[in-house]
């Protein structure tokens, strides 16, 4: 109910309206270039964010916070509920940025969060851990609508692109939960002390997101200008 109310409020505040757009381009080669140039990094980014976001799904965060920090279960539920509300609100803000400012910036922010989150989750500190979980939750919840918007806007093969993105994110979520769950059960002790600093051992596996996120950012920014230039040429064709 709360999520639905926020969604309706967001649509009202952002003055959402549907505007039909042309979908048939006269240049088939341009369509293929856009499909390759835009879809691939977005799909890789979806896999990466789902891989890390898996720690925020299901019962994993409940077990994680309860056992690592000995938090009472009602408090864990309150923290995670607040985290989800923050993520939903931030998703609306990034959607506004994509519509009014820059779609590339809006897609960049979730990827940057996936670079920072594994680092904050490494340390046994309640504040940094909650910040890390919040970052991953924001990245996951905001990237889903942003990536679908980008694919349906910048590619001709929209159904194929959405299907590829869904498959990549589902695979990322499954691998993320299995990998982190296995690491949580096998990497002992859960908290390791080194030079008076306490590290949460299972969080080491999340560092795999960092190179993937950086690679995705590089590809997106490489193709960003090309997409804008191609859109300009398409507008002339449609005109």
């Amino acid at each position: 109910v709360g999520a639905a109310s926020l969604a309706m409020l967001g649509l009202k505040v952002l003055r959402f309206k549907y505007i039909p757009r042309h979908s048939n381009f006269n240049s088939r080669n341009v369509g293929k270039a856009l499909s390759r140039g835009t879809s691939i990094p977005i799909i890789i980014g979806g896999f990466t964010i789902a891989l890390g976001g898996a720690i925020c799904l299901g019962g994993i965060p409940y077990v994680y916070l309860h056992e690592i920090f000995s938090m009472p279960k009602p408090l864990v539920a309150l923290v995670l509920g607040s985290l989800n509300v923050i993520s939903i609100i931030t998703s609306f803000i990034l959607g506004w940025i994509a519509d009014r400012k820059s779609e590339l910036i809006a897609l960049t922010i979730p990827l940057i969060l996936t670079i920072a989150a594994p680092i904050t989750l490494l340390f046994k500190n309640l504040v940094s851990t909650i910040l890390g979980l919040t970052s991953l939750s924001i990245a996951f919840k905001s990237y889903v609508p942003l990536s679908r918007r980008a694919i349906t806007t910048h590619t001709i093969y929209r159904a194929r692109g959405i299907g590829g993105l869904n498959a990549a994110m589902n695979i990322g979520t499954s691998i993320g939960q299995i990998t982190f769950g296995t690491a949580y059960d096998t990497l002992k002790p859960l908290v390791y002390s080194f030079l008076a600093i306490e590290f949460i051992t299972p969080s080491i596996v999340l560092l795999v997101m960092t190179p993937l996120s950086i690679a995705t950012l590089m590809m997106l920014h490489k193709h960003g200008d090309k997409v804008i230039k191609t859109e300009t040429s398409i507008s002339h064709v449609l005109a």
Side-chain angles (χ1 to χ4, degrees), residues 199-213:
F199 296 93
I200 302 176
T201 312
S203 298
I204 294 173
V205 301
L206 295 175
L207 290 174
V208 71
M209 291 190 303
T210 301
L212 289 174
S213 297

Side-chain angles (χ1 to χ4, degrees), residues 176-189:
Q177 289 187 331
I178 292 172
T179 302
F180 187 81
T182 302
Y184 195 89
D185 288 336
T186 58
L187 294 179
K188 303 296 182 181

Side-chain angles (χ1 to χ4, degrees), residues 2-239:
S5 300
L6 284 173
M8 296 301 296
L9 178 61
L11 293 175
K12 183 70 175 177
V13 171
L14 297 176
R15 298 177 181 176
F16 173 82
K17 61 181 179 179
Y18 172 72
I19 301 176
R21 60 186 293 275
H22 296 284
S23 60
N24 296 320
F25 298 156
N26 291 337
S27 173
R28 191 171 182 82
N29 291 331
V30 169
K32 287 184 178 179
L34 277 174
S35 181
R36 286 197 301 270
T38 312
S39 295
I40 292 175
I42 289 175
I43 289 173
I44 294 174
F47 170 82
T48 304
I49 286 177
L51 187 71
I55 192 178
C56 300
L57 302 175
I60 291 179
Y62 289 92
V63 175
Y64 188 80
L65 291 175
H66 177 66
E67 293 191 355
I68 297 294
F69 296 99
S70 301
M71 292 178 62
K73 292 182 180 179
L75 181 58
V76 172
L78 177 62
V79 169
L80 295 178
S82 302
L83 181 152
N84 285 327
V85 172
I86 293 172
S87 302
I88 293 171
I89 294 172
T90 307
S91 178
F92 278 114
I93 295 173
L94 290 178
W96 180 87
I97 291 174
D99 288 335
R100 301 296 179 88
K101 302 297 180 181
S102 170
E103 190 175 29
L104 192 57
I105 292 176
L107 284 168
T108 297
I109 292 173
L111 290 166
I112 291 177
L113 290 176
T114 61
I115 296 174
I119 299 173
T120 60
L121 288 170
L122 274 177
F123 304 100
K124 189 187 177 184
N125 179 277
L126 185 58
V127 174
S128 66
T129 298
I130 291 177
L131 285 175
L133 291 174
T134 304
S135 297
L136 289 177
S137 183
I138 289 173
F140 187 82
K141 284 184 169 58
S142 60
Y143 192 84
V144 172
L146 289 173
S147 57
R148 280 158 176 71
R149 178 190 190 278
I151 286 180
T152 55
T153 302
H154 300 302
T155 67
I156 279 185
Y157 306 108
R158 301 180 187 90
R160 186 188 307 175
I162 293 293
L165 179 63
N166 287 340
M169 295 194 75
N170 287 332
I171 293 171
T173 300
S174 299
I175 293 177
Q177 289 187 331
I178 292 172
T179 302
F180 187 81
T182 302
Y184 195 89
D185 288 336
T186 58
L187 294 179
K188 303 296 182 181
L190 291 177
V191 178
Y192 179 78
S193 297
F194 180 73
L195 297 178
I197 301 175
E198 291 185 312
F199 296 93
I200 302 176
T201 312
S203 298
I204 294 173
V205 301
L206 295 175
L207 290 174
V208 71
M209 291 190 303
T210 301
L212 289 174
S213 297
I214 293 174
T216 303
L217 280 173
M218 293 175 64
M219 286 188 287
L220 275 177
H221 283 266
K222 177 182 177 181
H223 291 287
D225 292 336
K226 292 182 180 180
V227 169
I228 293 171
K229 291 177 182 177
T230 312
E231 282 182 325
T232 303
S233 65
I234 289 172
S235 65
H236 289 305
V237 172
L238 293 176

